[in-house]
């Protein structure tokens, strides 16, 4: 029964809402009470019957009540409904929310949208602003593809509330002291708003900035003299007042200072320098008692302690101990001695270097002897019969490729390479680099290095391609005889004239070699000439040429060095020779340069030799030959004609006149050679070197015919009539292989004299 709360008394009597006259239907209202009950209700206290139909009343959530007809309020809605998570991307099934506000479900999806600061990501789980952010980004991309006639309008993007960064910026401001207090934002931070109300003064306090002083201000620039104290009694170097981050100028006065070891006084030392060394070895006795400190002048107490120098004491095998210092203990001598000793056979014909391998208990191999073999017996037999025991050294000779390359190159070049490789084989170095050269010369070095047992390789592009020779795992075996001696001994052993294949070795001495060149030099340049003017003129001249040049000055000359290209060294030389007349003619016509010559430059960019220096080289060699001895030429067999080469070995025969040959034989005696040399020295004193060697070379001078004023050239007394020696090959080789040392010339002379 429904009951009201306290209320005023109604004037009329109350009528019960459950009375039969008011309740005519069942609780759900679908069926009449009279249809359900057989007898009608008599009073309000009689129960209200209910039908068996569903209630179907609309609940607060909007769903219908699924219970059967009932009295009273409907119960809780138990229907399952599909709802979405907060970001709207993940659907979830749940019980009805009963029409009340509820917290949406959250998925585990992480939002990766960039916040408005363009520095951070959202990073929230199931972010409700992710879908609007995607729509905003898609709309911004469409705006970028605007028509050509439209103007670009810069509009600020409206970010979702979820994607506004609320972190503090925290960047260090320009003042270097404070951080940005604003929220995280795009672009640079503003200026620091902090200020100081103290005066900002320089170091001497004579220049002041009055407050307020903005944060980050630097001390003012002071124009007064610095007043900082100095650490020396010398006068102060005048300079303005400065901050603490800048030091005063160093004292420039020179004084006498004691070195750090305290042994010497060093004069003329700058006053500001504290540590001065006398560059002498310490020499103080170390704690081991056996060695002295080998460090250069140092502070006291910094000697080599503990001592790590080699022991150096003699062991039982008389070799020095190489272990680190172990004083005061004796040498252990547990490991075999690694020093090299030379053992030989009883006759001394076989010698070999082996490790000593001596220990404290074993004597080692110092007294070991090698048994004589057949070569020892053959050597003793040869000595008994007064035969050269090294006559069979031709078995250890040179390959056919080496002999072929030897014939194709100049004599002076091949001899200089032989000497360099022999010196390299005897020395301790593991690597030897030759200067840049032509391919035919590099081929000779490769073949000769292979005969010696070296490893070789070419490096760098043309025109700076060179050969590097290295000592490898092979046994290095250097023949006792040079290539020239090898060819001559092979001919003597067969008792036949020199074969036709080796005649080229003589012919290449007779032909003047072509001077090598890898650049062009311009001389007598116009005053005020600029590099840009030179490049402009060269661009016109070199239109059809594949070469392009680097231009650099060398004193009063300009060097045109070809840039690296795919051309080989020989092709570059041919191209330089072809374009030289065009450049010379064009530059002479326009007054740019008086002379244009080919030249050879080294790696340092300096000119090693010019084209116009070839006759000066010949003249210099001729003068030097007047004071030298007359060695016997290498090709001394009868009937072999020899031309003058660049060795200077045949300089004594140069008086026979240019353009002719000498026929040498083995019948000359040492007395006749010395007598001829004495006569030639007297004649050379009267000769003069003509200024124009080209004209002198073109003239045919007979053995007794006079030449120009005061110049008389006579043939050697031992030469055949009408024969002479030519100096043209000396200049030719000097142009093809660079400067040749006097040691190489003396070695060749000595070899030739030994063969004679």
């Amino acid at each position: 029964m429904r009951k009201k709360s306290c209320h005023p008394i109604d004037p009329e009597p109350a009528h019960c809402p459950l009375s039969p006259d008011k309740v005519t239907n069942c609780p759900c209202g679908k069926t009449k009470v009279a249809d359900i009950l057989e007898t009608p209700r008599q009073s309000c206290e009689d129960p209200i019957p209910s039908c068996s139909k569903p209630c179907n009343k609309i609940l607060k959530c909007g769903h219908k009540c699924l219970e059967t007809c009932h009295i009273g309020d409907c119960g809780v809605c138990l229907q399952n409904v599909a709802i979405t998570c907060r970001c709207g991307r993940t659907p979830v099934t749940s019980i009805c929310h009963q029409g009340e506000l509820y917290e949406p479900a959250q998925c585990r999806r992480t939002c990766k949208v960039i916040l408005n600061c363009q520095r951070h990501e959202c990073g929230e789980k199931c972010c409700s602003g992710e879908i609007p952010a995607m729509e905003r980004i898609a709309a911004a991309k469409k705006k970028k593809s605007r028509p050509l006639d439209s103007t670009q309008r810069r509009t600020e993007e409206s970010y979702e509330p979820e994607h506004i960064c609320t972190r503090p910026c925290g960047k260090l401001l320009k003042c270097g002291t404070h951080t940005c207090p604003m929220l995280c934002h795009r672009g640079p931070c503003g200026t620091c708003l902090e200020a100081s109300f103290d005066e900002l003064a320089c170091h001497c306090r004579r220049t002041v900035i009055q407050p307020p002083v903005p944060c980050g201000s630097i001390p003012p620039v002071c124009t007064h003299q610095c007043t900082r104290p100095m650490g020396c009694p010398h006068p102060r170097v005048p300079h303005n007042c400065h901050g603490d981050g800048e030091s005063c100028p160093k004292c420039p006065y020179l004084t006498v200072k004691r070195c750090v070891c305290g042994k010497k006084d060093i004069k003329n030392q700058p006053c500001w320098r504290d540590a001065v060394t006398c560059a002498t070895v310490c020499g103080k006795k170390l704690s081991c008692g056996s060695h002295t400190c080998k460090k250069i002048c140092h502070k006291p107490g910094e000697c080599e302690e503990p001592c790590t120098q080699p022991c150096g004491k003699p062991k039982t095998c008389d070799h020095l101990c190489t272990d680190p210092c172990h004083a005061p203990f004796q040498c252990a001598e547990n490991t075999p001695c690694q020093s090299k000793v030379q053992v030989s056979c009883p006759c001394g014909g076989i010698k070999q270097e082996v490790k000593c391998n001596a220990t404290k208990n074993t004597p080692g191999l110092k007294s070991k002897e090698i048994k004589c073999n057949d070569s020892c017996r053959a050597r003793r037999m040869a000595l008994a019969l007064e035969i050269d025991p090294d006559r069979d050294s031709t078995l250890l000779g040179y390959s056919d490729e080496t002999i072929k390359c030897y014939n194709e190159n100049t004599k002076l070049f091949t001899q200089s390479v032989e000497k360099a490789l022999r010196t390299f084989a005897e020395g301790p170095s593991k690597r030897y680099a030759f200067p840049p050269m032509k391919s035919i010369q590099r081929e000779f070095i490769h073949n000769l290095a292979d005969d010696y047992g070296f490893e070789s390789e070419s490096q760098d592009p043309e025109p700076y391609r060179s050969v590097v020779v290295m000592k490898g795992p092979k046994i290095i075996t250097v023949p006792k005889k040079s290539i020239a001696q090898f060819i001559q001994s092979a001919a003597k052993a067969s008792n036949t004239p020199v074969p036709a294949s080796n005649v080229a070795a003589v012919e290449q001495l007779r032909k003047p070699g072509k001077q090598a060149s890898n650049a062009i030099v311009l001389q007598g340049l116009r005053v005020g000439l600029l590099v840009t003017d030179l490049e402009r003129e060269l661009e016109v001249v070199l239109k059809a040429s594949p070469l392009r040049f680097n231009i650099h000055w060398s004193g009063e000359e300009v060097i045109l060095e070809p840039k690296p290209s795919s051309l080989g060294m020989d092709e570059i030389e041919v191209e330089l020779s072809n374009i030289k007349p065009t450049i010379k003619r064009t530059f002479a016509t326009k007054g740019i340069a008086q002379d244009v010559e080919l030249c050879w430059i080294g790696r340092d960019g300096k000119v090693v030799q010019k084209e116009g220096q070839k006759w000066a080289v010949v003249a210099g060699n001729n003068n030097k030959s007047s004071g030298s001895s007359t060695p016997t030429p290498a090709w001394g067999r009868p009937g072999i004609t020899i031309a003058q080469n660049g060795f200077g070995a045949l300089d004594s025969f140069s008086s026979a006149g240019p353009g002719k040959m000498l026929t040498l034989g083995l019948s000359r005696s040492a007395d006749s050679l010395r007598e001829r040399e004495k006569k030639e020295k007297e004649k050379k004193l009267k000769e003069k070197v003509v200024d124009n060697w080209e004209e002198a070379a073109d003239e045919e001078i007979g053995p007794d015919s006079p030449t120009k004023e005061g110049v008389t050239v006579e043939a050697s007394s031992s030469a055949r009539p009408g024969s002479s020696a030519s100096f043209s090959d000396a200049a030719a080789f000097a142009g093809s292989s660079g400067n040749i040392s006097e040691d190489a010339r003396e070695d060749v002379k000595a070899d030739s004299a030994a063969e004679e």
Side-chain angles (χ1 to χ4, degrees), residues 24 76 128 165 298 321 367 376 392 449 493 530 546 600 635 670 675 720:
T24 59
V76 178
S128 59
C165 186
H298 59 82
C321 178
S367 58
C376 295
D392 294 333
L530 300 178
W600 180 272
W635 294 89
E675 183 178 357
R720 294 183 181 180

Side-chain angles (χ1 to χ4, degrees), residues 681-717:
K681 286 182 180 180
E682 296 175 357
K683 293 178 181 179
K684 294 291 184 179
L685 296 176
K686 301 178 182 180
E687 294 179 356
K688 293 182 179 179
V689 178
V690 296
D691 295 333
N692 194 340
W693 279 88
E694 296 183 354
E695 295 178 3
D698 295 334
E699 297 176 2
E700 288 290 338
I701 303 175
D704 298 324
S705 62
T707 61
K708 295 184 179 181
E709 297 180 5
V711 180
T712 304
V713 183
E714 297 181 4
S716 174
S717 59

Side-chain angles (χ1 to χ4, degrees), residues 110-126:
T110 302
C111 180
K112 295 185 179 180
V113 175
I114 302 297
L115 302 181
N116 65 330
C117 64
Q118 298 296 316
R119 294 174 56 192
H120 306 112
E121 285 186 354
C122 177
E124 290 289 335
K125 298 289 186 181
C126 193

Side-chain angles (χ1 to χ4, degrees), residues 542-733:
L542 302 176
K543 279 186 177 180
S545 175
L547 292 181
R548 293 296 178 267
F549 293 90
N550 291 324
I551 302 175
H552 55 88
W553 294 83
S554 177
E556 297 181 355
E557 300 174 347
V558 170
I559 298 175
L560 305 181
E561 181 183 0
K563 294 182 179 179
S565 62
S566 59
L567 298 179
M569 193 168 182
D570 297 335
E571 296 174 338
I572 292 177
E573 287 192 25
V574 174
E575 188 64 26
L576 290 175
S577 302
N578 293 338
I579 65 176
K580 173 200 165 185
T582 307
I583 297 177
K584 185 173 184 180
R585 181 172 59 256
T586 304
F587 283 12
T589 304
K590 297 184 179 182
I592 297 176
Q594 297 179 1
D595 194 10
V596 178
E597 291 185 352
L598 299 177
C599 66
W600 180 272
I601 61 174
R603 286 179 178 269
D604 55 357
K606 296 182 180 179
V607 177
V608 178
Q609 188 163 356
K610 300 179 183 177
E611 182 183 16
Q613 292 179 346
K614 55 185 178 181
W615 290 112
V617 174
V618 175
N621 291 341
N622 193 12
N623 293 335
K624 291 181 181 180
S625 62
S626 61
S628 60
S629 60
T630 308
T632 305
W635 294 89
R637 292 184 59 82
I640 298 179
T641 304
I642 304 178
Q644 177 66 17
N645 56 16
F647 285 86
L650 305 179
D651 287 350
S652 59
F653 305 106
S654 61
S655 60
K660 299 182 180 181
M661 306 298 297
L662 295 176
T663 303
L664 307 179
L666 296 176
S667 60
R668 300 188 186 94
S669 62
D671 295 335
S672 63
L673 292 175
R674 285 193 293 269
E675 183 178 357
R676 183 178 70 250
E677 179 184 3
K678 183 177 181 182
K679 291 180 180 180
E680 287 178 353
K681 286 182 180 180
E682 296 175 357
K683 293 178 181 179
K684 294 291 184 179
L685 296 176
K686 301 178 182 180
E687 294 179 356
K688 293 182 179 179
V689 178
V690 296
D691 295 333
N692 194 340
W693 279 88
E694 296 183 354
E695 295 178 3
D698 295 334
E699 297 176 2
E700 288 290 338
I701 303 175
D704 298 324
S705 62
T707 61
K708 295 184 179 181
E709 297 180 5
V711 180
T712 304
V713 183
E714 297 181 4
S716 174
S717 59
S718 61
R720 294 183 181 180
S723 63
S724 65
S726 172
F727 279 98
S728 61
D729 291 307
F733 182 81

